[in-house]
Structure formats: structure tokens, C-alpha cells
Amino acid sequence: MQPQEILIKEVQSEEVQIEAIEITPNLSYSYRLIKRTMDIVGSLFLLTVLSPLLLLIIILVKIEDPRASVLFKQLRTGKNGKPFYCYKFRTMIQNADDIKSDLMKLNEMDGPVFKIKNDPRITKLGKILRRYSLDELVQLINVLTNKMSLVGPRPLPVKEAAGCNARQKLRELVKPGLVCYWQVSGRNELSFEQWMELDIQYIQDMSFWTDCKILVKTFSAVLSKKGAY
């Protein structure tokens, strides 16, 4: 039994089972080959071209807190629900997870996701990195190692993904991505439900041209900083 079939069978609702089968991407070999080629070439190109910027970020993060690690890794949910370590440049203080429970009452996002606009755990440099999504550039390594794609639903932390309902879990039918519909449609200005629906919409729209359209829109979305925090 294929992993996608297992994921569909784990859905309890009969209606959602039928819907899962209907939206399960039946991707051609040529598209899958082109998409993976884009991921490899694109991530290698960007890692090479952006290497001076990446080095500068590493130096600045280390200067801000010499004791902290430069990279932050977190278990996130990948394709077919398989967890993997997702990497980001550190943007928070070292004990950020320890004080998260004290901030839960300030959560501004509905659903199982935790986000607050003026998170006191974020460092001064971290605010700049997040505003322009620079902290996520290191995820190009996840793309290169085939854990992620350049375009696809953003991977949720394992604990947050566990809080998704049956329909929302359908987003795990495909590989998570660095950018997606959510990122070019307002990001944190959208509700959790809108975010999940956009991810399902992407699965239905998946094609070479859809990926290209999202990649092009990403540049203006990042520069506009809309919904970034």
C-alpha cells in the first residue's frame, strides 16, 4: 500500500475520504521530473548566489548572541505525515520554547497554530530576518535534500499538525514547500482555515505553470512584507 493511500485511509470521515481521493494529485512523470529538477537547480543556484548574504546572517546572529546556535531546527510534518527536521536561522532567544506556555493567551491565530505579532521572544535581528523571510533561506538545504520543494504547502510543526482536522490533513498528500499560495496571499493576515484551504487549492492546481506563478509572486510578496511577523 502506498503512503498516500495509507494517509487517506486514516481519515475517519467517509465524506473526507471521498474528497481525499478526488483531490489526490495524479501527477505525470514529466511534471515530477521537472519539479525535482527545478528544486535541485534552483536551490543550488540560490545557495551559491546568496552565499555572501547567508554568511553575513551567520556572523550577525553569532554577534547578537555568541552562546546561541546559529541554526534553529524543529520537527515538522512532511509528505504523508512523515516528520523531518526543518531548518531556519535563529530569530528567537535561547529559551523561547520554555516561555511559550506563558504567552499562549496572547495567540493571535486561530486553529492549532501559535503566532503573535509582537512576540517578545524575537530578537532585534530576528525581527529584520522575519520581516523579509531571510530566516527561511536556509531551508534551501531541505529542498536540496528532497525533504521539501521550492513550492508547496508550508510545513507545520509536528504538534500543530496533529491539531489539524481530517480535511486539513489532506495538505500532507504532497511535499511541503518553501513558498506557497499562503505566502503570496497575505500570510499571517489570513485565518488558519483560509491558510489550509489555500494549501488544498494548491494540490488541485499543481502544475509547472502554477509553481512558476507562485515563485514570481513571492518576490513582490516578500518586498511588501504583508503579513510577515
Side-chain angles (χ1 to χ4, degrees):
M1 185 177 292
Q2 296 297 316
Q4 288 188 354
E5 294 175 349
I6 294 174
L7 181 64
I8 292 172
K9 287 183 179 296
E10 288 178 348
V11 176
Q12 298 301 315
S13 167
E14 182 177 347
E15 292 182 359
V16 178
Q17 278 193 33
I18 295 173
E19 185 176 23
I21 294 172
E22 289 177 347
I23 74 167
T24 298
N26 184 18
L27 307 177
S28 66
Y29 173 77
S30 59
Y31 170 64
R32 286 184 283 118
L33 179 62
I34 291 172
K35 188 173 180 65
R36 183 56 190 150
T37 301
M38 285 176 60
D39 288 344
I40 295 173
V41 174
S43 58
L44 278 175
F45 173 77
L46 290 172
L47 284 170
T48 301
V49 172
L50 298 175
S51 56
L53 175 60
L54 299 178
L55 179 59
L56 176 61
I57 293 174
I58 290 172
I59 294 172
L60 292 177
V61 171
K62 207 62 182 173
I63 290 175
E64 187 171 48
D65 189 347
R67 298 170 300 172
S69 60
V70 172
L71 297 181
F72 169 76
K73 70 175 184 178
Q74 184 181 52
L75 268 179
R76 300 206 173 191
T77 303
K79 184 178 179 180
N80 299 316
K82 185 176 180 180
F84 71 100
Y85 277 110
C86 182
Y87 295 96
K88 298 177 72 173
F89 283 119
R90 180 173 292 280
T91 60
M92 290 188 174
I93 57 177
Q94 288 192 73
N95 64 334
D97 285 338
D98 297 335
I99 62 177
K100 181 178 178 179
S101 58
D102 298 330
L103 301 171
M104 289 302 294
K105 60 181 179 294
L106 302 176
N107 189 16
E108 298 174 12
M109 179 69 77
D110 58 330
V113 175
F114 175 77
K115 289 181 183 292
I116 52 179
K117 191 169 186 178
N118 296 307
D119 196 323
R121 301 173 300 165
I122 300 177
T123 64
K124 291 181 179 180
L125 175 63
K127 290 179 180 179
I128 298 173
L129 296 180
R130 286 183 171 221
R131 189 173 301 141
Y132 295 99
S133 300
L134 297 176
D135 58 318
E136 297 179 354
L137 288 178
V138 73
Q139 287 171 26
L140 289 167
I141 296 174
N142 287 123
V143 175
L144 191 59
T145 56
N146 205 24
K147 296 293 190 301
M148 293 175 60
S149 179
L150 288 176
V151 183
R154 288 293 299 156
L156 288 175
V158 170
K159 290 183 179 180
E160 294 180 359
C164 292
N165 62 36
R167 175 177 169 78
Q168 292 163 354
K169 284 183 179 293
L170 297 179
R171 65 198 299 279
E172 298 172 11
L173 289 169
V174 299
K175 198 184 306 179
L178 187 62
V179 297
C180 58
Y181 275 152
W182 170 77
Q183 197 158 20
V184 300
S185 302
R187 288 187 275 191
N188 295 311
E189 292 184 356
L190 303 176
S191 68
F192 182 74
E193 181 66 28
Q194 289 173 317
W195 176 2
M196 297 297 101
E197 287 302 313
L198 283 173
D199 286 343
I200 293 173
Q201 183 64 49
Y202 170 72
I203 295 175
Q204 296 173 312
D205 294 346
M206 282 182 77
S207 70
F208 170 73
W209 295 113
T210 296
D211 289 351
C212 289
K213 180 176 66 175
I214 292 175
L215 286 171
V216 170
K217 286 186 175 181
T218 296
F219 293 102
S220 58
V222 170
L223 290 176
S224 71
K225 300 172 287 185
K226 185 178 180 181
Y229 59 83

Coordinates of all heavy atoms in Angstrom, one line a residue, residues 34-50 137 139-141 143-144 149-151 178 215 219:
I34 N 10.4 17.5 -13.8 CA 10.6 18.9 -13.9 C 10.7 19.6 -12.6 O 11.5 20.4 -12.3 CB 9.6 19.6 -14.8 CG1 9.7 19.1 -16.3 CG2 9.7 21.1 -14.8 CD1 8.6 19.6 -17.2
K35 N 9.7 19.3 -11.7 CA 9.6 19.9 -10.4 C 10.9 19.6 -9.6 O 11.4 20.5 -8.9 CB 8.4 19.4 -9.7 CG 8.1 20.1 -8.3 CD 6.8 19.7 -7.8 CE 6.4 20.4 -6.4 NZ 6.3 21.8 -6.6
R36 N 11.3 18.3 -9.6 CA 12.5 18.0 -8.8 C 13.8 18.6 -9.4 O 14.7 19.0 -8.7 CB 12.7 16.4 -8.8 CG 13.9 16.0 -7.9 CD 13.8 16.5 -6.5 NE 15.0 16.2 -5.8 CZ 15.4 17.0 -4.8 NH1 14.8 18.1 -4.4 NH2 16.5 16.7 -4.2
T37 N 13.8 18.7 -10.7 CA 14.9 19.4 -11.4 C 15.0 20.9 -11.0 O 16.0 21.4 -10.7 CB 14.8 19.2 -12.9 OG1 14.8 17.9 -13.3 CG2 16.0 19.9 -13.6
M38 N 13.8 21.5 -11.0 CA 13.7 22.9 -10.6 C 14.2 23.0 -9.1 O 14.9 24.0 -8.8 CB 12.3 23.4 -10.7 CG 11.8 23.7 -12.1 SD 10.0 24.1 -12.1 CE 10.0 25.6 -11.1
D39 N 13.8 22.1 -8.3 CA 14.2 22.2 -6.9 C 15.7 22.1 -6.7 O 16.3 22.8 -6.0 CB 13.6 21.0 -6.1 CG 12.1 21.2 -5.9 OD1 11.6 22.4 -6.0 OD2 11.4 20.2 -5.5
I40 N 16.3 21.1 -7.4 CA 17.8 20.9 -7.3 C 18.6 22.1 -7.9 O 19.4 22.7 -7.2 CB 18.2 19.6 -8.0 CG1 17.6 18.4 -7.3 CG2 19.8 19.5 -8.1 CD1 17.9 17.1 -8.0
V41 N 18.2 22.5 -9.1 CA 18.9 23.6 -9.8 C 18.6 24.9 -9.1 O 19.6 25.7 -8.8 CB 18.4 23.7 -11.3 CG1 19.1 24.9 -11.9 CG2 18.8 22.4 -12.0
G42 N 17.4 25.1 -8.7 CA 17.0 26.4 -8.0 C 17.7 26.5 -6.7 O 18.2 27.6 -6.4
S43 N 17.7 25.5 -5.9 CA 18.3 25.6 -4.5 C 19.8 25.7 -4.6 O 20.4 26.5 -3.9 CB 17.9 24.4 -3.7 OG 18.3 23.1 -4.3
L44 N 20.4 25.0 -5.5 CA 21.9 25.1 -5.7 C 22.2 26.5 -6.2 O 23.2 27.1 -5.7 CB 22.4 24.1 -6.7 CG 22.6 22.7 -6.2 CD1 23.0 21.7 -7.3 CD2 23.7 22.7 -5.1
F45 N 21.5 27.0 -7.1 CA 21.7 28.4 -7.6 C 21.6 29.4 -6.6 O 22.5 30.3 -6.4 CB 20.8 28.7 -8.8 CG 20.9 30.1 -9.3 CD1 21.9 30.5 -10.1 CD2 19.9 31.0 -9.0 CE1 22.0 31.8 -10.6 CE2 20.0 32.3 -9.4 CZ 21.0 32.7 -10.2
L46 N 20.5 29.4 -5.8 CA 20.2 30.4 -4.8 C 21.2 30.2 -3.6 O 21.7 31.3 -3.1 CB 18.8 30.2 -4.2 CG 17.7 30.6 -5.2 CD1 16.3 30.2 -4.6 CD2 17.7 32.1 -5.5
L47 N 21.6 29.0 -3.2 CA 22.6 28.9 -2.2 C 23.9 29.5 -2.6 O 24.7 30.0 -1.8 CB 22.7 27.4 -1.8 CG 21.6 26.8 -1.0 CD1 21.8 25.3 -0.9 CD2 21.6 27.4 0.4
T48 N 24.3 29.3 -3.9 CA 25.5 29.9 -4.4 C 25.5 31.4 -4.5 O 26.4 32.1 -4.0 CB 25.8 29.3 -5.8 OG1 25.9 27.8 -5.7 CG2 27.2 29.8 -6.3
V49 N 24.4 31.9 -5.1 CA 24.3 33.3 -5.3 C 24.2 34.1 -4.0 O 24.7 35.2 -3.8 CB 23.1 33.7 -6.2 CG1 22.9 35.2 -6.3 CG2 23.4 33.1 -7.6
L50 N 23.4 33.5 -3.1 CA 23.1 34.1 -1.8 C 24.2 33.8 -0.7 O 24.0 34.2 0.5 CB 21.7 33.7 -1.3 CG 20.6 34.1 -2.2 CD1 19.3 33.6 -1.7 CD2 20.5 35.7 -2.3
L137 N 15.7 31.2 4.4 CA 16.6 30.9 3.3 C 17.4 29.6 3.5 O 17.7 28.9 2.5 CB 17.6 32.0 3.0 CG 17.0 33.3 2.4 CD1 18.1 34.4 2.3 CD2 16.3 33.0 1.1
Q139 N 16.4 27.0 4.5 CA 15.5 25.8 4.1 C 15.8 25.3 2.7 O 15.3 24.3 2.3 CB 14.0 26.2 4.3 CG 13.6 26.2 5.8 CD 12.2 26.8 6.0 OE1 11.4 26.7 5.1 NE2 12.0 27.4 7.2
L140 N 16.6 26.1 2.0 CA 17.0 25.6 0.7 C 17.8 24.3 0.8 O 17.8 23.5 -0.1 CB 17.9 26.7 0.0 CG 17.1 28.0 -0.5 CD1 18.1 29.1 -0.8 CD2 16.3 27.6 -1.7
I141 N 18.4 24.1 2.0 CA 19.1 22.8 2.2 C 18.1 21.7 2.3 O 18.3 20.6 1.8 CB 19.9 22.9 3.5 CG1 21.0 24.0 3.4 CG2 20.5 21.6 3.9 CD1 21.8 24.2 4.7
V143 N 15.3 21.7 0.7 CA 14.8 21.5 -0.7 C 15.9 20.6 -1.4 O 15.5 19.6 -2.1 CB 14.7 22.8 -1.4 CG1 14.3 22.6 -2.9 CG2 13.6 23.7 -0.7
L144 N 17.1 20.9 -1.2 CA 18.2 20.2 -1.9 C 18.2 18.7 -1.5 O 18.5 17.8 -2.3 CB 19.5 20.8 -1.6 CG 20.7 20.3 -2.4 CD1 20.5 20.6 -3.9 CD2 22.0 21.1 -2.0
S149 N 10.1 21.1 -1.2 CA 10.2 21.6 -2.6 C 10.2 23.1 -2.5 O 9.9 23.7 -1.5 CB 8.9 21.1 -3.3 OG 9.0 21.6 -4.7
L150 N 10.6 23.7 -3.6 CA 10.6 25.2 -3.7 C 9.1 25.7 -3.5 O 8.9 26.7 -2.8 CB 11.1 25.7 -5.0 CG 12.6 25.6 -5.2 CD1 13.0 26.0 -6.6 CD2 13.4 26.4 -4.2
V151 N 8.2 24.9 -4.1 CA 6.8 25.3 -4.0 C 5.9 24.2 -3.4 O 6.1 23.1 -3.8 CB 6.2 25.7 -5.4 CG1 4.7 26.2 -5.2 CG2 7.0 26.8 -6.0
L178 N 8.9 25.7 0.3 CA 9.4 26.9 0.8 C 8.5 28.1 0.6 O 8.4 29.0 1.5 CB 10.8 27.2 0.1 CG 11.6 28.4 0.5 CD1 12.1 28.1 2.0 CD2 12.8 28.6 -0.4
L215 N 6.2 31.3 -7.6 CA 7.6 31.8 -7.4 C 7.8 33.2 -7.8 O 8.5 34.0 -7.2 CB 8.6 30.9 -8.3 CG 8.8 29.5 -7.7 CD1 9.6 28.6 -8.7 CD2 9.6 29.5 -6.4
F219 N 8.5 37.2 -4.9 CA 9.4 38.3 -4.8 C 8.6 39.6 -4.3 O 9.1 40.3 -3.4 CB 10.1 38.6 -6.1 CG 11.0 37.5 -6.5 CD1 10.7 36.5 -7.4 CD2 12.3 37.4 -5.9 CE1 11.6 35.5 -7.8 CE2 13.2 36.4 -6.2 CZ 12.8 35.4 -7.2

